[in-house]
Amino acid sequence: MAKVNISLDAELVVEVMVLAGVGSPQDAVELVVRDYIARGHHTEARTGRKDQTLREVEVKPQDPQG
């Protein structure tokens, strides 16, 4: 499995560690990501739709405003 290294605000990670009752920052972040994904799948199952159209939209740069 590929690994990703990121920097996060230490206070955020500590708060997640306390709320989740885990002892390591790695475990805390993994729990948050897994929970987010599970909630997304649960929502898709309840609504019967996936945001596939959002995934297929081509992102175009915006024209400068001003």
Side-chain angles (χ1 to χ4, degrees):
M1 175 189 313
K3 299 285 182 175
V4 176
N5 291 320
I6 58 171
S7 297
L8 295 172
D9 183 322
E11 290 181 22
L12 292 175
V13 176
V14 170
E15 189 167 346
V16 171
M17 289 172 62
V18 170
L19 290 171
V22 296
S24 81
Q26 177 75 33
D27 291 345
V29 173
E30 284 186 14
L31 282 171
V32 169
V33 172
R34 290 180 192 279
D35 181 63
Y36 182 81
I37 291 169
R39 288 175 188 236
H41 290 305
H42 181 72
T43 301
E44 288 173 354
R46 290 186 64 183
T47 61
R49 72 167 250 233
K50 293 185 179 183
D51 290 332
Q52 189 64 32
T53 55
L54 294 176
R55 295 180 186 125
E56 295 173 352
V57 172
E58 182 179 328
V59 178
K60 297 178 184 176
Q62 294 181 347
D63 292 331
Q65 297 178 6

